[in-house]
């Protein structure tokens, strides 16, 4: 839905023009999965799919929220009454941002909001982060808070962690807030330092496909939290602040120290090797060896499937089918337990690969997957 449509619907709902319209994208994570809450490295890029919000300030202590994507009318809340875990509906994401901003001492007195999003929900493409970031950016501008993008991302993460109750890392919100068109974002989640890495696949005759398996996942579910707790246990057993501090060269020795803690061994091995995979992809892209990242992506899937154990039959079928039909590399992306996979392929192979995956899903009795090309897009911005 375009900015003008969102603006017009806002005026219908609230009887006045909005003060502005903002947008924030979903993201695809190229490599670096479940490393962000371990102080590690990630490499997402923004999608053209985005959440768009028309917003105006209110000074009377009222927060009114409406979504074009959810049945129902305007939801009215009191910013003074917002409390963590009090809202299990979609409104928890924008309300959580207001709660986080106010908790950090910023004078947000209320707002009228109309939202519309083209980011698929439950697909592992950060639909929730897009909602959070678009609200944070709008309120930052309207209330002249002067917060930098990285700080907005931190506050959005706090909203999701504490208010919503999903134990996610910082990657999704930072990607939505900070990515640049035509680039992937190399992010160190410990100090939030960033490097924009050129990522123009079309210029090299390549494509990156996203295959949404239609299997929904949710970060607030228990399995995600269990993996995070297991990683924290591994860091404690190894006497480090985070698994980021285990060097790749010292991995075998670290795993030996964990003894018979089988589950922790698997989690630690994934995180340490995944950090190293991110660094390898960065170097390959910087040296112009883009096709060579394909096997690294596939290694990442194997690790997520076998060590982190967060894949599912549909994700595995995408990867196996794509590789069998000429893909350069493939892996699941996002939090796991459903969602999407990415496939790196020659442009000339896209139609063949897409057909092969669709036929494999039909033969397996799975829902028809949604397949689209991922093109690195701009991060959050004011539209008008």
């Amino acid at each position: 839905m375009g900015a003008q449509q969102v603006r017009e619907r806002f005026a219908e709902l609230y009887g006045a023009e909005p003060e502005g319209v903002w947008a924030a994208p979903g993201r695809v994570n190229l490599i670096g999965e479940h490393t962000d809450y371990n102080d590690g490295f990630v490499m997402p890029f923004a999608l053209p799919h985005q959440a768009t919000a028309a917003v105006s300030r209110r000074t009377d202590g009222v927060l009114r929220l409406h979504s074009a994507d959810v049945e129902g009318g305007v939801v009215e809340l009191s910013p003074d009454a917002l409390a963590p875990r009090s809202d299990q509906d979609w409104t928890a994401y924008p309300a959580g941002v207001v709660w986080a901003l106010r908790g950090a001492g910023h004078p947000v007195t209320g707002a009228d909001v109309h939202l519309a999003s083209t980011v698929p929900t439950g697909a592992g493409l950060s639909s929730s982060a897009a909602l959070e970031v678009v609200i944070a950016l709008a309120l930052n501008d309207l209330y002249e808070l002067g917060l930098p993008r990285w700080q907005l991302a931190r506050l959005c993460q706090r909203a999701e962690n504490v208010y919503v109750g999903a134990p996610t890392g910082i990657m999704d919100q930072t990607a939505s807030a900070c990515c640049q068109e035509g680039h992937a974002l190399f992010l160190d989640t410990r100090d939030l330092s960033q490097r924009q890495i050129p990522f123009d696949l079309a210029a090299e005759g390549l494509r990156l496909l996203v295959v949404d398996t239609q299997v929904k996942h949710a970060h607030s579910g228990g399995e995600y939290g269990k993996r995070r707790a297991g990683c924290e246990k591994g860091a404690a057993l190894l006497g480090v602040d985070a698994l980021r501090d285990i060097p790749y060269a010292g991995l075998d020795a670290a795993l030996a120290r964990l003894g018979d803690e089988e589950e922790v061994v698997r989690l630690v091995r994934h995180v340490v090797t995944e950090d190293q995979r991110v660094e390898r992809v960065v170097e390959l892209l910087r040296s112009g060896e883009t096709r060579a990242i394909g096997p690294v992506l596939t290694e990442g899937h194997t690790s997520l499937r076998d060590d982190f154990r967060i894949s599912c039959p549909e994700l595995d079928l995408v990867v196996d089918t794509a590789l069998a039909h000429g893909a350069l590399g493939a892996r699941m992306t996002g939090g796991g337990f459903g969602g999407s996979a990415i496939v790196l392929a020659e442009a000339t192979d896209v139609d063949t690969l897409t057909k092969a995956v669709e036929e494999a899903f039909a033969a397996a009795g799975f829902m028809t997957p949604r397949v689209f090309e991922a093109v690195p897009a701009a991060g959050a911005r004011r539209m008008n």
Side-chain angles (χ1 to χ4, degrees), residues 47 49 117-127 212 216 370 372:
L47 287 168
H49 307 71
S117 180
T118 58
V119 186
T121 59
L125 303 175
S126 297
S127 58
D212 176 3
K216 302 300 182 183
R370 179 178 181 226
F372 60 92

Side-chain angles (χ1 to χ4, degrees), residues 56-81:
S56 287
R57 289 166 290 183
R58 294 183 68 97
T59 59
D60 57 356
V62 173
L63 174 64
R64 296 196 293 183
L65 303 170
H66 184 269
S67 171
D69 309 306
V70 181
E71 288 188 11
V74 174
V75 177
E76 185 170 312
L77 302 170
S78 168
D80 290 338

Side-chain angles (χ1 to χ4, degrees), residues 46-308:
L47 287 168
H49 307 71
Q50 62 189 21
T52 306
V55 185
S56 287
R57 289 166 290 183
R58 294 183 68 97
T59 59
D60 57 356
V62 173
L63 174 64
R64 296 196 293 183
L65 303 170
H66 184 269
S67 171
D69 309 306
V70 181
E71 288 188 11
V74 174
V75 177
E76 185 170 312
L77 302 170
S78 168
D80 290 338
L82 297 177
R85 312 294 182 95
S86 61
D87 185 353
Q88 301 300 312
D89 206 350
W90 69 270
T91 52
Y93 298 101
V97 171
V98 173
W99 170 84
L101 285 166
R102 287 167 60 88
H106 302 294
V108 177
T109 54
D112 286 338
V113 177
H114 172 60
L115 285 155
S117 180
T118 58
V119 186
T121 59
L125 303 175
S126 297
S127 58
S128 59
L131 286 182
E132 293 157 357
V133 170
V134 74
I135 296 300
L137 184 62
L139 297 177
N140 188 52
D141 287 353
L142 289 175
Y143 282 95
E144 299 180 342
L145 304 180
L147 299 173
R149 295 295 182 97
W150 68 265
Q151 197 166 349
L152 291 177
R154 276 286 192 216
L155 288 167
C156 288
Q157 182 199 15
R158 176 167 172 74
E160 187 146 353
N161 289 173
V162 181
Y163 194 91
V164 178
T168 58
I170 190 66
M171 174 181 66
D172 295 351
Q173 293 84 2
T174 305
S176 186
C178 300
C179 279
Q180 294 181 8
E181 185 175 0
H183 293 75
L185 178 67
F186 177 37
L187 174 67
D188 182 333
T189 65
R190 169 164 284 170
D191 62 13
L192 297 188
S193 60
Q194 304 175 14
R195 284 163 55 193
Q196 301 286 345
I197 308 297
F199 192 56
D200 185 358
L201 295 178
E204 301 187 52
L206 297 171
R207 298 291 187 272
L208 189 76
L209 301 179
V210 174
V211 182
D212 176 3
T213 65
Q214 306 286 350
V215 178
K216 302 300 182 183
H217 82 153
H219 277 156
S220 54
E223 291 301 319
Y224 187 100
K226 288 179 183 177
R227 300 307 189 279
R228 181 165 185 164
C231 290
E232 292 169 351
K233 179 180 179 180
L237 289 171
L238 293 169
V240 294
D241 291 335
L243 295 183
R244 148 74 174 275
D245 297 312
I246 304 299
Y248 180 73
L251 176 59
D252 289 343
L255 297 182
R257 289 167 55 199
L258 292 172
D260 59 359
E261 294 276 358
E262 179 192 353
E263 182 178 4
V264 176
V265 165
R266 289 189 286 98
L267 298 178
V268 171
R269 181 165 54 220
H270 166 73
V271 172
V272 176
T273 58
E274 187 78 347
D275 272 335
Q276 194 253 1
R277 281 186 283 273
V278 177
E279 293 183 294
R280 285 162 60 194
V281 167
V282 170
E283 290 308 310
L284 288 168
L285 291 177
R286 291 183 64 192
S287 61
E289 300 177 71
T290 305
R291 284 171 173 79
I293 74 172
V296 187
L297 303 184
T298 306
E299 285 177 27
H301 183 77
T302 301
S303 182
L304 289 162
R305 182 193 66 201
D306 297 344
D307 276 345
F308 230 67

